[in-house]
Structure formats: structure tokens, C-alpha cells
Amino acid sequence: MSKIQAAITAVHGYAPEYVLTNHELETMVETNDEWIMSRTGIKERRILKGEGLGTSDMAVPAVKALLEKRGISAEEIELIIFCTTTPDMPFPATANILADKIGAKNAWGFDLQAACSGFVYGLATGAQFIESGKHTKVLVVGFDKMSSIINYQDRATCIIFGDGGGCALLEPNTEGLGIIDSVLKSDGAGRSFLHQKAGGSLKPASHETVDAMEHYAYQEGQTVFKFAVTNMAEVAAEIMDRNRLTPDDIAWLVPHQANKRIIDATANRMGISADKVIVNIERYGNTTNGTIPLCLWEWESKFKKGDNLVLAAFGGGFTWGSLYLKWAY
Ligand code: UT7
């Protein structure tokens, strides 16, 4: 029997309706559209508005649409890996909350925290359960409500992040399609440059931590930029070398959307021309775990069976990684 590989058999996404433009940000902090566009490539981002709505509420419509598209019921899902940095609650896992909301009664699941590299880590993790034969339907979800941890008085972070994401279904494939390889890396020494200071066990939330704005994302942008630009390009080049892929072999580069300059540097290092690089950062900003599935969803109709896709991400942790797959439909 030929080897079992984990193939993506359906994708879907969701972005909330509210559009936060650079022009609106100009009324909130000392910034301007020209600076944001030239430094990041971001024009607007989506924000989940409304009381009582969390990350799982964006995942529900995306997963429901995915199931309908694939023609399967929620009861058929065996495992949910929910990649997020903004879970509905510190516990229980948002995977459990999602399973309840969509009626995935036979699934087990867990949250995966790898910041912006989460979806790449999640696909690589989900693939193990398919390749081993343990499961046949694994749902990998990547969503963030970044607006819940962003200080809209901090121009260093509020211009970058947005809300949204998507999901992918992994199923077994024996035709040589699906996830072929992944290279995953991390270095916890980078944690001081991008993190949320309070709200964890190290510094539980208190009046003092709220007054000090420590429940918001903190980023030393320039340092993160330097690591991201080098490491994301490096890991994408490594997966090409390992799999003897030339730029011509690659149909699409699917990069994490943190900064257009980081995306361009990665594509240049790989020798990939701009027409093969998926970019929607202009419309969504950085949705953390949501960027790559949002890209897959929006470009789905352009992919052809057998297309070689390379995914690449870098994020807080530090975490970074690249994944090589053959599109299966
Ligand atoms: O996805 C997870 C990983 N995260 C990333 O990959 C993000 C990586 N970092 C970045 O994308 C960039 O560092 C930022 C977009 C966050 C910032 O861009 P930068 O080119 O690194 O700007 P900077 O922080 O070096 O600031 C340059 C100047 C400073 O002014 P002076 O000191 O040169 O006078 C800042 O005060 O730009 C100023 N500045 C701004 N000006 C207008 C910083 N933020 C803003 C702003 N609007 N929003």
C-alpha cells in the first residue's frame, strides 16, 4: 500500500465585517496612511465588534461553511486543533468550545499556541494523526481576535493587527498529494521582544497590571522584524533545499502576513516571482494564526491539483517554520 499523507481537502475563512482603515487609525494615534502603507503594506484590517463575541464566534461560520462544502457532518470530525493566541478563555480550550458550538460530538481537541506560526505548527501536528492512521478527519483552525489584546493608544502595535482567520480539513491521501515535509523551529530566548506581560501565571491579572496596560500585546518591532526577515526566509529556503525544489517547481508561496517587507524578503531569498506570492495583508493586516488560512481560502479557486505550495511563518516565541504540500483538489 502506498504511504498515507495528510491532504487538505477543504478550506474556508471568515473575516468580521467592521473595517478599520488607516484613516480611522489616524484619528486614534499619531500616524498616517503613507507611513503605515510604506512600512507594512497594510491599508485596512477587520475588527470583531459586539459584546460577548470571542475568537470561537469567528471560527463557527467558517467551519460550518467548510463542512457544507466538503459534504460532511460535524459528527465526522475526529480531532480539532485550534491554533490561537487569543483563546475565548484561558481555559477550557477554544477547541472544546468550538466543538460544542458546531456539534462536533465525537471530536477531541486542544489549543495550540505558537503565535503567528500556529497554523503551520497545527497543520504539521494534525498531519501526524492522519499519517499514523489514527484519524481520518482532522480540523485545523487558525483564528485570532487580536483586537482583544491590542492597545489602541499604542501606534507600534495597533496599526498592524486585525481579527479573522480560517480552517482546513486534513484527510488521508495515497496518491502522493498533501503535506510532504515541514521544518519547525523555536527559540524561547526571543520571548522578551513579543509577548503579553500579564494575565498568565507569572503575573496574574490585577488592577495594577490593567492600569499598566500589561494585558495588551507588547512588541519591540524592529528587533522582531530583524529576526523575522532572516528566519522566515531561511526556513523557506531550507524546505526548498531538502525537497530539491527550484523556484519553477513552486506554484505558490503562502507567507504569514506580518509585514509586506518580510514577505518580499522571503520571496526574494527563494527566487519566487511576485505573481506566485499570495498577499492579502493590505486588506486584513496581521491576523496572527489567521493569516495563512485566510490566504488559502481566498486563493483556493486558483489552486490546481498537484500544485506545490510552500507555507512560511514567523512569530512570537520566537517560533517559525515552513511546510511543503501538494494541493489535493
Ligand atoms: O507577526 C508576528 C511577528 N511580527 C512581525 O513580524 C512585526 C515585525 N516588525 C515590523 O513589522 C516593524 O518593525 C513595524 C511595522 C512594527 C515598525 O516598522 P519599523 O520600520 O521597524 O519602524 P520603527 O519601529 O523602527 O520606527 C521608525 C520611526 C520611529 O520614529 P523615529 O524614532 O525614527 O523618529 C517611530 O517612532 O517611525 C515611528 N513610528 C511611527 N510613525 C508613524 C513608529 N510607529 C509609527 C506609526 N506611525 N504607527
Side-chain angles (χ1 to χ4, degrees), residues 30-32 35 39-40 116 155-156 159-160 194 219 221-222 224-225 228 256 258-259 261-262 286 314-316:
E30 187 63 40
T31 191
N32 58 78
W35 190 94
R39 297 290 180 121
T40 69
C116 297
R155 69 177 184 173
I159 56 138
I160 305 168
L194 180 49
Q219 174 169 256
Q222 252 188 35
V224 178
F225 184 91
H256 168 54
N259 187 314
R261 291 183 287 147
I262 300 172
N286 182 351
F314 182 90

